Amino acid sequence: MKIKPLIQLRELIAAALKSQTNLSKSFQSFFKEAMELFLTIPNRINFLQMERFGHSSEQRFRMNFRKKCCDWIRFNKSFIAEGNPERRAIAIDPSYISKSGKKTPGLGYFWSGCASSMKWGLELMGFALVDADATSGTHLIAKQTFNKKRRGRVPEYLRHMDNPDSLVGQYLRTINSLKDELVSISKCMVADAFFSKESFVTGLNSLGFSLISRFRDDVRLKYLYAGPKTGQRGRPKKFTGDVDLKKLDMSIFETFASGDIAIHSAIVWAVSLKREVKVVIADFNEPDKKARSRKVFFSTDTSKSAIDIFEIYRTRFQIEFLYRDAKQYTGLCNCQSRNSGTLDFAFNMSLSTINIARQFGAQYSTTLSVGDVKVLLHNAAMVERLFSMFGNSPNLKINNTDFKELLFYGVRAAA
């Protein structure tokens, strides 16, 4: 155990910043200090608190948070480890951010999963790379949702929609603005059942992405006809009947096993999506119920394996954990600014700090959660502040024995 966790943290941030050569030295020093403060301030994180715990003025934080020179995708790509690209996907998920008042850009009524209702506030569209092998998620970038009408010609990827200014249309505009950076990472996206809409799937396909998602339990599917042509007049036969989810045609479906879960897969026609998809029907064994619960997943890329589709969708929940940790520990909902640029910087700083905290915890032999890492770094910051008041360098040999317990005291107390 090293006695200098703050130095390790600063080295991690500096290594990630090397990917961006267009940043001034002044902005880099501010960035390192701000990200360190996000992991050492124990309570609400705002500009006033950052001035109290940091070395810069409140005005410096306010001015630099408005700058748009930071490439968040390039910064967060440095935390992505090597892996199988076929087992990876970009998870997308909107998250509700509470915000009072009437003057903040983007305010409106958005769906809150915690409250299970529409609430007044902001919405954040997050992008994260999920890895089915490592069962982990890495934040890439987050963009605020602006539910407003756009002027000008409707883009090609939105012309199939009746209302291009709808919420789904806004999501597609956000994806299009990041298309070049996201395609270089993965061409497969994974999202929850809300996005299993024809308007979204068609627009996403025109942008060059495939989608893995889940259907509703009452989805309508049709078997595809693969027999010879009859030679009769009229439209060729395309379907052979509806798919009965309670009684599958096992001559068409392939069956696999993943632990206690039985998986059935086939290429069928999705009526709601108006296209061929590869469906993965999973039977979950629930000991409390006599009957099995059955969920239907799908991929618009029919060449993808059934196991990959199922496990990638299960890994999608890693983006929910990113939101949870950011709201609990790094002040995702704490920014009080009414400037859209400042809010964008604060949201991405909060979520990117989770990547730093996880990378920091992975350097130790024991597995530290984000909460443990924050307690450890807060204790280290307090010890550093105490020694800075003495005016002399501390004796590291004594500190390695006397203050080792102090740094981990909060972590052990929480455990």
Side-chain angles (χ1 to χ4, degrees):
M1 163 62 189
K2 297 182 179 180
I3 198 64
K4 296 183 177 181
L6 289 179
I7 295 179
Q8 292 175 265
L9 176 66
R10 292 161 188 162
E11 290 175 352
L12 282 175
I13 300 172
L17 277 176
K18 288 183 179 179
S19 61
Q20 303 190 49
T21 58
N22 61 329
L23 301 181
S24 64
K25 291 185 178 179
S26 174
F27 185 84
Q28 290 186 35
S29 65
F30 146 77
F31 189 92
K32 295 174 185 177
E33 182 183 3
M35 184 159 281
E36 180 181 327
L37 289 173
F38 268 69
L39 281 173
T40 54
I41 295 177
N43 41 30
R44 191 174 184 86
I45 302 173
N46 52 34
F47 297 130
L48 183 59
Q49 288 287 83
M50 295 174 75
E51 180 185 25
R52 288 172 177 171
F53 285 84
H55 304 288
S56 302
S57 65
E58 178 184 355
Q59 187 64 21
R60 187 192 186 199
F61 291 115
R62 289 185 181 274
M63 292 176 60
N64 282 280
F65 264 62
R66 294 193 178 192
K67 295 182 179 179
K68 300 180 180 180
C69 54
C70 186
D71 189 344
W72 292 105
I73 294 181
R74 182 178 296 180
F75 175 81
N76 290 311
K77 280 174 66 175
S78 60
F79 302 106
I80 299 175
E82 295 183 0
N84 183 4
E86 295 296 324
R87 303 269 292 171
R88 289 181 168 184
I90 298 174
I92 57 174
D93 191 55
S95 179
Y96 168 77
I97 305 294
S98 60
K99 188 74 172 179
S100 60
K102 299 180 180 179
K103 302 298 183 181
T104 306
L107 274 171
Y109 285 97
F110 297 99
W111 178 260
S112 171
C114 295
S116 297
S117 63
M118 302 291 287
K119 294 186 67 177
W120 180 260
L122 306 176
E123 188 181 72
L124 197 63
M125 185 68 167
F127 297 81
L129 182 69
V130 294
D131 191 327
D133 290 327
T135 61
S136 63
T138 304
H139 169 70
L140 295 174
I141 195 171
K143 289 290 185 180
Q144 186 181 341
T145 302
F146 294 96
N147 196 1
K148 61 182 181 180
K149 293 185 178 181
R150 305 291 183 98
R151 294 182 179 181
R153 181 179 298 178
V154 178
E156 183 68 28
Y157 59 89
L158 295 179
R159 291 183 182 177
H160 65 283
M161 298 179 63
D162 296 331
N163 181 17
D165 295 320
S166 64
L167 198 58
V168 172
Q170 300 298 332
Y171 294 152
L172 288 172
R173 289 179 187 270
T174 302
I175 295 172
N176 179 65
S177 65
L178 305 169
K179 180 180 65 174
D180 296 337
E181 294 88 347
L182 296 177
V183 166
S184 63
I185 300 173
S186 176
K187 293 184 178 180
C188 177
M189 286 195 173
V190 57
D192 59 16
F194 171 82
F195 293 92
S196 59
K197 296 178 172 63
E198 186 272 334
S199 57
F200 182 79
V201 171
T202 302
L204 192 66
N205 182 68
S206 62
L207 291 175
F209 295 95
S210 61
L211 178 68
I212 294 176
S213 185
R214 183 174 71 85
F215 280 127
R216 289 174 42 168
D217 294 339
D218 60 349
V219 63
R220 188 182 175 193
L221 305 172
K222 289 180 175 290
Y223 291 110
L224 294 170
Y225 177 73
K229 294 184 178 180
T230 61
Q232 299 179 357
R233 297 178 60 185
R235 182 182 178 181
K237 188 175 182 179
K238 192 172 183 179
F239 312 112
T240 59
D242 293 338
V243 177
D244 187 356
L245 294 178
K246 296 182 179 180
K247 189 177 180 181
L248 301 176
D249 187 349
M250 302 313 297
S251 64
I252 298 177
F253 278 87
E254 296 179 344
T255 303
F256 307 90
S258 178
D260 296 334
I261 303 172
I263 296 176
H264 315 286
S265 175
I267 299 176
V268 298
W269 180 267
V271 177
S272 61
L273 300 183
K274 302 177 182 178
R275 65 178 59 240
E276 294 182 12
V277 296
K278 187 164 189 176
V279 296
V280 176
I281 301 175
D283 291 332
F284 296 89
N285 290 322
E286 297 185 9
D288 298 337
K289 298 182 180 179
K290 295 182 180 180
R292 289 183 172 184
S293 63
R294 176 166 282 183
K295 299 297 180 182
V296 184
F297 309 95
F298 74 91
S299 172
T300 56
D301 182 5
T302 57
S303 62
K304 214 164 191 65
S305 69
I307 298 296
D308 289 348
I309 294 171
F310 176 70
E311 293 186 351
I312 286 175
Y313 186 85
R314 295 183 75 179
T315 317
R316 184 201 72 82
F317 289 93
Q318 292 295 325
I319 193 173
E320 307 282 359
F321 301 147
L322 289 171
Y323 287 136
R324 179 201 63 188
D325 291 340
K327 289 181 179 180
Q328 289 182 354
Y329 304 114
T330 57
L332 183 62
C333 301
N334 292 166
C335 186
Q336 299 171 335
S337 176
R338 293 184 297 181
N339 180 273
S340 59
T342 302
L343 287 171
D344 180 79
F345 193 96
F347 293 149
N348 282 285
M349 174 68 76
S350 175
L351 287 162
S352 299
T353 306
I354 302 298
N355 293 341
I356 291 284
R358 291 182 175 181
Q359 188 80 2
F360 179 89
Q363 292 185 350
Y364 292 91
S365 57
T366 57
T367 303
L368 298 178
S369 66
V370 176
D372 293 338
V373 168
K374 184 156 187 178
V375 170
L376 171 62
L377 293 174
H378 170 70
N379 291 344
M382 292 299 100
V383 171
E384 185 179 75
R385 174 167 291 190
L386 286 173
F387 283 133
S388 66
M389 301 299 293
F390 296 151
N392 295 320
S393 299
N395 189 320
L396 294 181
K397 185 177 181 180
I398 297 176
N399 294 341
N400 278 323
T401 58
D402 293 348
F403 290 96
K404 181 177 179 181
E405 293 293 328
L406 176 62
L407 293 179
F408 273 103
Y409 174 74
V411 177
R412 293 180 177 179

